[in-house]
Amino acid sequence: MKRKTARQEKNKKKLSNTVARVIATAFLMFYALTALYPPIWMFYNSIKTQKEFALNIFSFPMHPHFSNYIKIFERATIFRAMFNSIFASTFAIVFIVALSFLVGYVFARYTFKGRRFLYFFFMFGLLVPVHALLIPVFIQFKTIGMLNNQFTIIPPLVVFNMPIAIFLIEGFVTSIPESIEESAFIDGSSHIKTLVRIVLPICSPIISTVVIMSFLTTWNEFGFPLVLLRDPKLRTIPLWLRTFSGEYQTDYPGLMSAMLLASIPAILLYIFFHERIMRGMSAGAIKG
Amino acid sequence: LASASIFKSRFRKIFFFLVIPVLVYTFFAILPILWAAWHSLHTDFQFQIKFAWFKNYDTLIHDPDFWHSFRNNIIIIGINFLLQIVLAFIIAIWLHSKFIVMRNLIRSLIFFPTILAPIVVSFLWRLIYNVDYGLINTVLRGIGLGGLARAWLADPSVVIYAVTFPMTWQYTGFFVVIFLAGLTNIDPDLLDAAQIDGANGWQRGIHVILPLMAGTWRAVLILSTANGMKVFEHPFVMTHGGPGVSSAVIAVYAVINVFMRNHLTYGSTIAMAGLILSFGLILVAVLMMDYVIVRRRQ
């Protein structure tokens, strides 16, 4: 008798567990959908005509058509903006990786006087409200005549992405045994050569994380290009999107197509590297 | 022995490795601040710049629009703490338990908005808030609450909340992942022990997980305070800080002053004040967390 109630009790607990499990999963799924639905909504409305959109903003397109996208490519302003964005991101990423690797390496391998100060110095860049610096950077660039050229936007992109890259690289190098450099050194390789030929390749996992994250932030950056670039020819993708929305005020499906085109590189990267992106962004953030 | 040889002659080597990165960083990240500090001590009238000590700061202290912008930063930090951080913590605890199916998929989906460009998210939400075709008003009308439908971004009484919510939406997943990283560092044996001792899920959350994650909470608080002070793109793109300055934040107010009102030096003053207030707030957050952590240990 006693045994039976125990079993009933256990069954009941199991059942309530299953129910709780279903409810919790359903809630989380629902939450995940609210994170996902707006972009999806944007996508399927971008392949509607304006008329179909005005009729019902929820319905899936009856006759999906891509004329919104074709229209954007025909106007061709996007190509110049893409070039500018790719140009800026590429240069910025090269510098971010090179400079952060040096600093991260030194932080991981050496204890020296002033290390704490230097650490704090770079930490400052992680915590500084970047957009409070829009005007200071603008004024400095204006004074030294660096506004409005193809390279203008690169230095701010580099320095404000360096801190997080430094801390990621430092963490990784710390986990590599020092004996690797030492044995190479004994074999007669110079320290710099060892760094480039041996340490850098070992760091490739963290370097690729840095590259991906830097691409996302530089591609998405809006504030600095906005204040530093006036010449329409120099517009990066976010600035292009802003101009486009000004010209297409009421063409909502058209605007959605442009927004989607602007996001495609980021979305593709996320599809392929989401684990790496999540790990990199959270690890870099916690350092602070 | 070998280690002595490679890491010797250190000073020259360290200097050699660090000199370029530190110079670049100093010139483009630190120097602008010093420049702005100097600049903020001037006044400008029709592009004539003249040294004037703290005149701009005096104006700033008596500028209600500036304090309104700062208040908006605080509102954003507060709402994000209540909605985003707390929600993210709960979701992270759920996602961490083996209990949930498809945990990795759900986690990746929730994180997804983080990687979208702020400008895209802002435009997207401008459409969602659209008076005639927006998702929100359409849903409200659909469920018979059409009376609540409004021009979300043009109504001064709600606009700051309307501008805040897209940020809450966009970055909740980011904090979920940070909390998850903190949770995986907790020794599962501790949780099992608590369970064996008869603690239910809620009790485990409050008395075991929360204290063990003090470090993560510290990082999250610093981060969300810094993020709240850094806000620029979302209000700028959605409303330009308007109507009037009702949804302006400090960074937006600085840009408005420089580019729309031509108050160049005043823009620097606002930026400087923004920096000082941010670091003040971050310091308060750190001290508060450390105080809580120390007190718990005693």
Side-chain angles (χ1 to χ4, degrees):
Chain A
M1 192 65 193
K2 207 177 166 191
R3 204 139 143 231
K4 202 176 166 191
T5 38
R7 189 145 98 237
Q8 272 177 349
E9 195 75 345
K10 206 173 164 191
N11 275 342
K12 221 166 116 188
K13 204 166 175 190
K14 210 168 165 187
L15 183 72
S16 76
N17 246 337
T18 322
V19 172
R21 196 173 166 154
V22 170
I23 292 174
T25 308
F27 174 82
L28 288 179
M29 267 299 188
F30 174 77
Y31 183 78
L33 282 184
T34 62
L36 211 60
Y37 181 67
I40 292 176
W41 179 71
M42 169 172 93
F43 169 70
Y44 72 67
N45 277 305
S46 74
I47 49 177
K48 283 180 181 176
T49 58
Q50 279 194 62
K51 219 164 116 194
E52 204 182 347
F53 175 75
L55 233 51
N56 187 339
I57 64 160
F58 284 112
S59 68
F60 285 103
M62 297 295 280
H63 312 284
H65 73 121
F66 291 86
S67 63
N68 290 319
Y69 291 93
I70 295 167
K71 229 164 39 193
I72 292 172
F73 286 120
E74 274 172 352
R75 289 186 67 228
T77 49
I78 192 178
F79 294 116
R80 177 78 208 200
M82 268 179 171
F83 169 77
N84 291 336
S85 274
I86 292 170
F87 183 89
S89 290
T90 313
F91 268 87
I93 289 170
V94 170
F95 282 108
I96 293 167
V97 169
L99 300 180
S100 310
F101 179 71
L102 285 173
V103 182
Y105 178 80
V106 170
F107 276 155
R109 284 293 190 248
Y110 292 100
T111 46
F112 53 95
K113 224 177 147 187
R115 183 178 182 277
R116 264 178 71 94
F117 169 78
L118 214 59
Y119 211 84
F120 186 79
F121 188 63
F122 284 106
M123 185 87 81
F124 173 83
L126 203 62
L127 289 181
V128 69
V130 181
H131 293 125
L133 296 184
L134 287 176
I135 299 305
V137 171
F138 168 75
I139 285 164
Q140 173 172 336
F141 276 40
K142 196 177 145 149
T143 318
I144 59 179
M146 261 191 73
L147 291 175
N148 273 327
N149 70 59
Q150 195 79 51
F151 296 91
T152 298
I153 193 60
I154 295 169
L157 293 179
V158 173
V159 292
F160 294 114
N161 281 298
M162 262 170 74
I164 203 165
I166 289 173
F167 294 128
L168 286 175
I169 292 170
E170 185 217 347
F172 193 88
V173 175
T174 311
S175 70
I176 309 173
E178 290 183 4
S179 53
I180 288 180
E181 288 128 274
E182 281 153 10
S183 48
F185 190 71
I186 291 167
D187 289 346
S189 157
S190 77
H191 203 165
I192 274 288
K193 224 176 186 175
T194 318
L195 267 192
V196 178
R197 295 255 172 89
I198 295 167
V199 184
L200 197 64
I202 296 177
C203 288
S204 58
I206 200 69
I207 300 286
S208 58
T209 302
V210 168
V211 168
I212 293 166
M213 282 168 55
S214 305
F215 180 81
L216 286 177
T217 47
T218 52
W219 181 269
N220 288 345
E221 178 61 40
F222 171 69
F224 282 104
L226 176 79
V227 300
L228 299 181
L229 305 174
R230 294 279 126 191
D231 185 348
K233 274 204 223 91
L234 296 174
R235 271 184 206 132
T236 55
I237 283 287
L239 291 184
W240 168 82
L241 188 61
R242 180 161 178 261
T243 324
F244 187 91
S245 89
E247 289 163 8
Y248 280 61
Q249 291 248 328
T250 54
D251 178 4
Y252 299 118
L255 179 58
M256 291 189 205
S257 321
M259 286 154 66
L260 211 82
L261 283 176
S263 318
I264 281 178
I267 294 175
L268 284 181
L269 273 183
Y270 191 66
I271 291 173
F272 291 116
F273 301 111
H274 47 97
E275 281 304 324
R276 196 176 279 259
I277 292 171
M278 285 189 278
R279 226 180 311 127
M281 284 178 79
S282 57
I286 284 190
K287 277 276 175 184
Chain B
L1 266 169
S3 112
S5 58
I6 186 165
F7 296 118
K8 221 180 163 187
S9 71
R10 300 191 346 207
F11 182 76
R12 261 182 53 201
K13 210 173 258 173
I14 293 172
F15 180 80
F16 178 70
F17 284 154
L18 289 182
V19 62
I20 296 174
V22 170
L23 278 183
V24 170
Y25 179 81
T26 309
F27 189 79
F28 290 108
I30 308 292
L31 193 62
I33 299 173
L34 303 179
W35 209 299
W38 172 244
H39 199 238
S40 71
L41 299 177
H42 296 67
T43 51
D44 52 343
F45 180 68
Q46 291 172 345
F47 301 102
Q48 291 292 315
I49 292 183
K50 171 166 117 227
F51 190 75
W53 287 108
F54 294 97
K55 192 155 174 289
N56 273 339
Y57 288 92
D58 187 54
T59 317
L60 183 93
I61 288 172
H62 300 106
D63 180 355
D65 287 352
F66 170 76
W67 293 109
H68 184 84
S69 309
F70 180 53
R71 190 203 68 149
N72 282 344
N73 282 105
I74 301 283
I75 290 181
I76 290 169
I77 294 172
I79 292 182
N80 279 346
F81 180 76
L82 289 177
L83 280 179
Q84 183 177 60
I85 308 292
V86 174
L87 182 68
F89 185 63
I90 295 171
I91 291 178
I93 288 185
W94 279 7
L95 271 180
H96 186 63
S97 66
K98 310 253 175 325
F99 208 65
I100 308 286
V101 275
M102 296 185 287
R103 290 146 71 197
N104 281 339
L105 176 72
I106 294 177
R107 185 176 59 125
S108 308
L109 294 181
I110 290 177
F111 189 84
F112 169 70
T114 308
I115 57 111
L116 291 173
I119 186 170
V120 169
V121 170
S122 307
F123 277 131
L124 179 59
W125 279 83
R126 218 163 74 175
L127 291 171
I128 291 173
Y129 287 131
N130 187 287
V131 185
D132 303 311
Y133 301 110
L135 274 177
I136 294 187
N137 281 353
T138 311
V139 168
L140 284 176
R141 288 190 197 104
I143 58 175
L145 291 172
L148 287 176
R150 62 178 87 206
W152 296 96
L153 295 176
D155 181 341
S157 62
V158 295
V159 66
I160 181 61
Y161 307 103
V163 164
T164 306
F165 194 68
M167 293 181 253
T168 314
W169 172 81
Q170 186 176 8
Y171 298 120
T172 301
F174 175 63
F175 287 103
V176 169
V177 170
I178 289 184
F179 278 126
L180 273 174
L183 280 168
T184 41
N185 287 336
I186 294 181
D187 183 0
D189 290 347
L190 274 173
L191 293 183
D192 287 345
Q195 193 162 21
I196 289 163
D197 289 347
N200 63 30
W202 193 242
Q203 286 168 334
R204 279 204 305 273
I206 298 282
H207 297 293
V208 185
I209 298 179
L210 211 55
L212 284 175
M213 286 186 61
T216 310
W217 272 95
R218 190 169 179 271
V220 164
L221 275 185
I222 295 172
L223 207 63
S224 74
T225 311
N227 285 350
M229 292 306 289
K230 161 178 119 173
V231 169
F232 170 73
E233 284 126 327
H234 297 81
F236 187 82
V237 174
M238 279 192 269
T239 62
H240 273 248
V245 290
S246 36
S247 63
V249 291
I250 291 181
V252 171
Y253 190 55
V255 168
I256 289 176
N257 269 285
V258 171
F259 292 101
M260 284 150 212
R261 301 182 184 167
N262 284 324
H263 294 164
L264 220 60
T265 59
Y266 193 51
S268 299
T269 313
I270 298 166
M272 289 310 295
L275 282 173
I276 294 165
L277 289 171
S278 308
F279 282 106
L281 275 182
I282 291 172
L283 199 67
V284 169
V286 172
L287 291 178
M288 247 165 51
M289 268 318 282
D290 287 352
Y291 178 73
V292 171
I293 293 171
V294 169
R295 236 184 52 164
R296 276 211 74 107
R297 287 217 185 102
Q298 281 164 358

